[in-house]
């Protein structure tokens, strides 16, 4: 109500009770509000710490973190406002600042030009939109939306839906990237030589058909990011050093990678950071698998944190006893391996697993680092340590396709990660 009264100089028209309810209420700065604001600030800090000016949207997020929402003032038209619904007659055009309601009963305080709403503010039950409009009084072009739940979006709109680039911050997360038909697709990363790249390997990098090939670790350089990565996202030439290698060591309680020991030694001799991963099986217990991994994996000081590779199908999860049983066994593996190595393992999952199951285990979601497989241009919108972005990259020194990964951050963050997370 305070905002509406401040928007016009003439006497306001009566507002229906249903419309009044839609207007944002005065914020009660109770503990819940303070907690939401603290979470939002934490999300802003995390995002800005992991990005720099080369990253898409950095300026927009940085400005918001310092100045807050500047769109309300930018799109609120100056001067007195008239109730324009009643004068939209034939031969008379709405012009200048005015107040109208659209077909949904939403109140709009906007600027009209030649009978067309150009920009302004729109109030509904969930929050306030500030920005540009199309002829149908739909949000189109640049604009922002401030929700009653303290969430905030700023970016491009098309016919009342988020479309194109924008960023949204809430107590849960910060999403800066591309939207399609109102749904967030993900961040589009710019690939430069400043990023920290790595690979993960198994026996498939050695065995191709009937032939066995060795890996030339001193020659490792990434030369191609794979078919799904657009050249438009690459700055300069792709010729990146391999800064880390994760090697498959074990699977379940019966399978060992016979190349693991030699590959680990090759990495160490070439001065490349190395780590090991275990492929989780739903056919045996988590504790058994943890002991099998530890018994068959050499883990030395300075090695990257152990990784648990979790890729079960819905049918496999059901066969293990359901989601609750699955996570019980996952926790067994994590606890045993952490106790043995002195560092928290990393969870390797795909985007589907994140979407379907991760919210059911908030202690794991917030207490562990994640390595997410999601191939293509769009980086996952979760706090993560590593992103597996391609399964068909090319690396000098290795024959055939290779999984490519990028660390979530730059050199400073990488050094902090090595200092805090590697095996002591």
């Amino acid at each position: 109500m305070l905002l509406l009264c401040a928007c016009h100089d003439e006497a306001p028209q009566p507002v229906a009770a249903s419309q009044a309810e839609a207007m944002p209420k005065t914020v009660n700065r109770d503990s819940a509000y303070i907690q939401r604001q603290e979470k939002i600030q934490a999300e802003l800090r995390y995002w800005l710490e992991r990005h720099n000016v080369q990253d898409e949207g950095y300026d927009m997020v940085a400005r918001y973190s310092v100045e807050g929402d500047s769109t309300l003032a930018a799109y609120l038209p100056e001067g007195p406002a008239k109730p324009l619904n009643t004068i939209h007659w034939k031969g008379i055009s709405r012009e200048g600042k005015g107040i109208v309601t659209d077909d949904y009963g939403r109140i709009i305080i906007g600027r009209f030009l030649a009978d067309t709403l150009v920009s302004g503010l729109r109030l509904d039950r969930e929050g306030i939109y500030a920005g540009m409009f199309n002829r149908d009084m739909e949000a189109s072009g640049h604009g922002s939306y401030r929700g009653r739940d303290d969430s905030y979006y700023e970016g491009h709109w098309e016919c009342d839906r988020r479309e194109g680039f924008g960023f949204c911050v809430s107590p849960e997360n910060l999403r800066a990237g591309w939207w399609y038909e109102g749904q967030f697709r993900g961040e589009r990363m710019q690939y430069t030589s400043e990023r920290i790249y790595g690979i993960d390997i198994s026996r498939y990098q050695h065995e191709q058909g009937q032939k066995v090939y060795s890996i030339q670790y001193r020659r490792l350089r990434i030369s191609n990011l794979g078919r799904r990565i657009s050249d438009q996202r690459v700055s300069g030439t792709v010729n990146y050093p391999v800064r880390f290698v994760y090697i498959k060591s074990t699977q379940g309680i019966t399978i060992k990678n016979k190349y693991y020991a030699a590959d680990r030694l090759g990495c160490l001799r070439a001065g490349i950071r190395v780590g090991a991963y275990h492929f989780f099986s739903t056919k045996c217990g988590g504790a058994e698998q943890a002991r099998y991994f530890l018994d068959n994996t050499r883990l030395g000081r300075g090695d990257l944190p152990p990784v648990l590779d979790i890729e079960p199908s819905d049918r496999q999860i059901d066969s293990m006893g359901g989601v609750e049983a699955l996570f019980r066994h996952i926790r067994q593996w994590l606890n045993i391996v952490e106790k043995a190595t002195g560092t928290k393992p990393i969870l390797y999952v795909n985007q589907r697993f994140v979407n379907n199951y991760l919210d059911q285990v908030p202690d794991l979601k917030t207490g562990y680092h994640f390595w997410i497989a999601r191939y293509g241009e769009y980086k996952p919108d979760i706090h993560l340590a590593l992103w597996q972005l391609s399964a068909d990259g090319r690396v000098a020194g290795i024959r055939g396709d290779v999984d490519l990964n990028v660390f979530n951050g730059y050199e400073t963050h990488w050094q902090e990660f090595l200092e805090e997370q590697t095996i002591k």
Side-chain angles (χ1 to χ4, degrees):
M1 289 295 293
L2 182 62
L3 175 62
L4 180 61
C5 293
C7 292
H8 57 278
D9 298 329
E10 298 185 7
Q13 295 296 301
V15 178
S18 60
Q19 294 174 340
E21 291 175 2
M23 299 178 189
K25 299 176 181 179
T26 303
V27 175
N28 178 19
R29 296 182 181 274
D30 55 13
S31 59
Y33 171 80
I34 294 172
Q35 188 176 43
R36 290 197 302 272
Q37 292 301 313
E38 288 175 346
K39 288 182 178 179
I40 287 172
Q41 290 303 314
E43 289 297 320
L44 286 165
R45 285 194 300 272
Y46 175 84
W47 194 92
L48 290 170
E49 285 172 358
R50 296 282 159 172
H51 295 76
N52 66 22
V53 292
Q54 298 182 75
D55 297 317
E56 194 171 28
Y58 183 87
D59 290 344
M60 185 183 292
V61 178
R63 173 181 54 77
Y64 179 78
S65 71
V66 175
E67 301 176 5
D69 180 10
S70 59
T71 59
L72 289 174
Y75 286 109
L76 178 63
E78 297 179 356
K82 303 175 182 178
L84 297 181
N85 291 63
T86 57
I87 63 169
H88 189 207
W89 303 318
K90 185 177 179 180
I92 300 178
S93 296
R94 291 173 291 188
E95 198 78 25
K97 180 181 178 182
I99 302 175
V100 298
T101 56
D102 63 10
D103 292 340
Y104 299 97
R106 296 175 295 189
I107 298 172
I108 300 174
I109 307 164
R111 183 173 68 89
F112 286 80
L113 181 64
D115 205 38
T116 300
L117 176 64
V118 177
S119 62
L121 310 184
R122 185 179 66 194
L123 293 79
D124 60 35
R125 290 184 178 277
E126 302 302 324
I128 301 175
Y129 169 79
M132 303 170 69
F133 292 86
N134 61 16
R135 288 182 175 273
D136 297 319
M137 293 196 290
E138 297 172 324
S140 290
H142 178 264
S144 71
Y145 190 82
R146 166 73 66 186
R148 295 178 66 174
D149 60 355
D150 296 322
S151 63
Y152 177 82
Y153 169 85
E154 182 178 348
H156 194 267
W157 298 75
E158 196 70 41
C159 299
D160 266 351
R161 292 191 292 194
R162 301 171 189 186
E163 188 80 17
F165 181 81
F167 88 92
C168 179
V169 62
S170 71
E172 287 71 40
N173 56 27
L174 189 153
R175 295 172 167 179
W178 285 79
W179 303 71
Y180 178 69
E181 295 185 347
Q183 299 297 314
F184 184 65
R185 297 293 297 276
E187 175 185 341
R188 293 201 309 181
M189 181 178 285
Q190 193 72 28
Y191 300 95
T192 71
S193 58
E194 294 182 19
R195 297 197 180 276
I196 313 300
Y197 301 94
I199 62 175
D200 59 276
I201 59 174
S202 64
R203 68 179 179 88
Y204 297 108
Q205 276 63 53
H206 293 279
E207 300 175 2
Q208 297 183 19
Q210 299 298 315
K211 295 185 177 180
V212 176
Y213 298 92
S214 61
I215 295 177
Q216 302 174 49
Y217 282 98
R218 296 188 185 278
R219 290 189 55 223
L220 296 188
R221 302 282 295 191
I222 297 172
S223 59
N224 189 292
L225 296 177
R227 294 187 298 272
R228 299 190 186 186
I229 305 302
S230 169
D231 291 340
Q232 296 179 352
R233 311 305 304 168
V234 177
S235 297
T237 302
V238 176
N239 182 25
Y240 306 139
V242 173
R243 300 286 298 277
F244 62 90
V245 176
Y246 265 104
I247 309 167
K248 181 177 180 180
S249 175
T250 53
Q251 178 173 334
I253 57 172
T254 59
I255 299 174
K256 293 185 290 186
N257 175 16
K258 63 182 179 181
Y259 303 101
Y260 167 74
D263 285 338
R264 179 178 183 276
L265 184 59
C267 287
L268 294 175
R269 287 177 173 173
I272 301 172
R273 290 284 185 168
V274 64
Y277 73 89
H278 171 83
F279 191 94
F280 184 82
S281 171
T282 55
K283 296 181 179 180
C284 43
E288 297 173 275
Q289 295 186 63
R291 288 189 287 269
Y292 186 74
F293 172 73
L294 293 170
D295 289 343
N296 293 281
T297 306
R298 175 152 188 163
L299 301 168
R301 184 176 181 181
D303 282 3
L304 297 173
V307 168
L308 182 60
D309 183 343
I310 309 167
E311 304 182 49
S313 66
D314 291 339
R315 185 174 180 179
Q316 289 172 325
I317 294 174
D318 290 340
S319 70
M320 197 173 202
V323 175
E324 185 176 342
L326 170 71
F327 282 113
R328 183 171 67 251
H329 288 286
I330 286 173
R331 285 191 176 93
Q332 289 175 2
W333 193 97
L334 295 173
N335 292 336
I336 291 172
V337 173
E338 180 178 352
K339 185 176 180 179
T341 62
T343 188
K344 278 193 172 185
I346 293 174
L347 294 170
Y348 172 96
V349 294
N350 56 34
Q351 187 70 59
R352 177 181 168 278
F353 190 90
V354 172
N355 296 342
N356 293 344
Y357 302 116
L358 208 54
D359 284 339
Q360 300 180 41
V361 284
D363 59 319
L364 297 185
K365 185 175 181 179
T366 59
Y368 286 83
H369 287 290
F370 281 85
W371 177 6
I372 298 181
R374 185 185 187 188
Y375 303 144
E377 295 226 0
Y378 295 106
K379 176 182 172 186
D381 62 318
I382 184 177
H383 293 192
L384 72 162
L386 304 171
W387 172 31
Q388 188 181 83
L389 58 104
S390 174
D392 59 352
R394 290 286 172 160
V395 178
I398 301 179
R399 189 178 183 89
D401 293 342
V402 184
D403 292 341
L404 301 184
N405 303 274
V406 62
F407 175 72
N408 187 26
Y410 289 92
E411 187 65 35
T412 301
H413 311 108
W414 175 244
Q415 295 303 324
E416 290 174 355
F417 179 80
L418 297 178
E419 178 69 25
E420 297 172 3
Q421 302 299 324
T422 51
I423 296 175
K424 304 298 188 286

